[in-house]
Amino acid sequence: MSKNISKFHYALIVLALLSLNIVEQAASVINATIPGMKGTFSNQSLVNIELITTIVSMFVTIFVLISGFVVKQIGQKNTAILGLAIASISSIIPAFLNDFNIIIISRAILGAGIGLANPLAISLIGVFFYGDQRAKLMGWRSAIAGLGTALMTFIAGQLLVFSWHASYLVYLLFIPTLLLFIFFVPDPVKSGAIKRQEQEQKKELQKAANEGNEVQQDSIALIAELTLLIFLGLVSAMIFFVKLPTFFVENNIGSPTQASNVLSLINISNVIGGFIFGICYKKLKKFILPFALGIGGIATCLISISRNMWVITIISILYGIVCSLSIPYIFNRISEASSAKKAPFFTSIALVGSNLGSFLSPIIANYLGTQSSTVIFNAGLINIVTGVVTLIVIIATKERRHHVHQKLVK
């Protein structure tokens, strides 16, 4: 970030970039309106009513891929503004209309807007910030997204007292983010941010080369590896989240409501993990990924064999903190290894992997067992195996680089 801007302007830029991450998770904040909408649209099936959430995710996935091409035409800032504008307008349409078809279309358009803006929520942090500061903000972005989504869900629930229409007014909170982007976020090209990022990357690449470390910029292989990791991580996490209530009931541990309370605690602990990511990254560097995957997997397996709710609750809090360290690392690594021009596209690929992991998790769960405890245990094994393989690759690669560097020195 340029040193020529004031601290206040700097704070507004950080606020804009972090609040953009709330938008990406905002589709589900009005899920509580489904029963009320079912009453209004009695001629529609429950499956059709539930499309108000799922159709958003579908179009997010499509437009996340399109976002990179739009960035090439109009730039990163303008793409973010376009996505936010589309999301801001389309999201409040259900507050004023009773036409089910138009509401579904508006939700699809909302998905398009979120999909356009979504990759920029990550790549712009990589454009404006470097090193440990970038890593810290990558952790903060997931924490702020969790807090913001929780706040929007709460407000939507309060508005539901008036009507399900009123709940959709919660999306007016998109407008401050849109205004912050229009008036305070610099254009990456015109402000020289991209040029500064390229200079910083050259320094990082030179430092890595001097230390005998691998230099991988715009590496398709690296992006593919990170996308696979985020896919497997989301598969494991979503299976755990979906199966936990059934696990509670099948094993007489507690009610679905109590399971929901445990999931809420996991979400809160995700926020804690997001805020401490920067500190953990400084200490562990690339080893943070196998650490998070391995410990998260062990926690999942322990939960599957536990039958005491308090033990499960404590382990779940640990699980939430540890697992929330992996996603910020992956996106920070993408920003680190991508040029400014290719970062949005590479980020889009990783986000598609994330969405596919969530989407395919119920299908994959069918192959992991018939009992919920077995399925959860095997989901944990996915993380453990992935973590061990990642650790072996890191150590082997480090040894190979050291060996090559020693030869060059001689």
Side-chain angles (χ1 to χ4, degrees), residues 292-322:
L293 291 169
I295 300 300
I298 291 170
T300 305
C301 291
L302 288 175
I303 288 168
S304 73
I305 60 175
S306 301
R307 296 297 180 266
N308 182 283
M309 190 181 71
W310 292 109
V311 172
I312 290 171
T313 300
I314 292 169
I315 297 173
S316 294
I317 292 171
L318 172 65
Y319 167 87
I321 293 172
V322 171

Side-chain angles (χ1 to χ4, degrees), residues 166-181:
S167 287
Y168 282 86
L169 294 175
V170 72
Y171 288 116
L172 290 172
L173 292 175
F174 285 176
I175 293 176
T177 303
L178 174 61
L179 294 177
L180 283 171
F181 259 84

Side-chain angles (χ1 to χ4, degrees), residues 68-288:
F69 297 101
V70 177
V71 166
K72 287 183 178 180
Q73 302 302 316
I74 64 174
Q76 294 190 49
K77 176 180 177 176
N78 289 335
T79 302
I81 290 173
L82 176 63
L84 281 168
I86 291 172
S88 298
I89 295 169
S90 61
S91 60
I92 61 171
I93 287 175
F96 306 103
L97 296 177
N98 261 334
D99 188 309
F100 183 75
N101 291 327
I102 293 178
I103 288 174
I104 288 294
I105 291 170
S106 74
R107 296 292 288 177
I109 296 172
L110 170 62
I114 294 174
L116 287 175
N118 202 354
L120 283 309
I122 300 164
S123 65
L124 281 174
I125 291 176
V127 168
F128 290 115
F129 303 95
Y130 325 107
D132 291 338
Q133 191 178 36
R134 177 181 59 210
K136 180 176 72 174
L137 289 178
M138 285 294 182
W140 282 16
R141 79 168 198 90
S142 56
I144 295 299
L147 286 173
T149 304
L151 177 62
M152 288 184 72
T153 303
F154 174 77
I155 294 172
Q158 302 307 302
L159 292 172
L160 194 58
V161 173
F162 301 100
S163 70
W164 65 260
H165 288 285
S167 287
Y168 282 86
L169 294 175
V170 72
Y171 288 116
L172 290 172
L173 292 175
F174 285 176
I175 293 176
T177 303
L178 174 61
L179 294 177
L180 283 171
F181 259 84
I182 292 173
F183 294 110
F184 296 105
V185 175
D187 181 276
V189 176
K190 294 178 181 177
S191 66
I194 286 182
K195 188 175 181 180
R196 284 192 298 273
Q197 188 209 34
E198 290 171 348
Q199 291 170 346
E200 289 294 327
Q201 281 188 326
K202 284 180 181 178
K203 292 178 185 177
E204 290 176 359
L205 293 173
Q206 186 59 51
K207 182 180 178 182
N210 292 338
E211 294 174 354
N213 293 328
E214 185 179 6
V215 177
Q216 295 187 76
Q217 188 175 36
D218 291 344
S219 169
I220 297 297
L222 176 63
I223 302 304
E225 291 168 12
L226 294 172
T227 300
L228 178 61
L229 287 173
I230 202 170
F231 170 81
L232 293 172
L234 262 293
V235 165
S236 177
M238 291 306 297
I239 289 173
F240 173 61
F241 292 159
V242 170
K243 290 293 182 181
L244 191 66
T246 305
F247 171 69
F248 264 49
V249 173
E250 283 183 353
N251 295 281
N252 298 313
I253 297 167
S255 66
T257 300
Q258 288 172 313
S260 179
N261 291 338
V262 172
L263 291 174
S264 296
L265 286 174
I266 291 175
N267 289 330
I268 293 171
S269 58
N270 284 163
V271 173
I272 297 171
F275 280 122
I276 67 171
F277 171 76
I279 298 170
C280 295
Y281 179 75
K282 278 186 179 181
K283 301 292 184 182
L284 297 173
K285 294 297 181 182
K286 64 182 67 178
F287 290 101
I288 198 171

Side-chain angles (χ1 to χ4, degrees), residues 22-86:
I22 299 173
V23 176
E24 72 176 270
Q25 298 183 20
S28 62
V29 302
I30 45 71
N31 281 355
T33 65
I34 289 175
M37 294 183 75
K38 177 60 181 170
T40 301
F41 304 111
S42 55
N43 59 325
Q44 298 289 336
S45 68
L46 181 59
V47 173
N48 285 346
I49 300 293
E50 289 174 342
L51 274 175
I52 65 168
T53 297
T54 55
I55 199 169
V56 176
S57 301
M58 185 189 309
F59 276 79
V60 167
T61 303
I62 294 170
F63 278 83
V64 153
L65 284 175
I66 293 173
S67 177
F69 297 101
V70 177
V71 166
K72 287 183 178 180
Q73 302 302 316
I74 64 174
Q76 294 190 49
K77 176 180 177 176
N78 289 335
T79 302
I81 290 173
L82 176 63
L84 281 168
I86 291 172

Side-chain angles (χ1 to χ4, degrees), residues 326-340:
S326 57
I327 301 298
Y329 171 80
I330 289 173
F331 284 117
N332 184 64
R333 187 73 183 94
I334 291 173
S335 293
E336 196 176 61
S338 305
S339 63

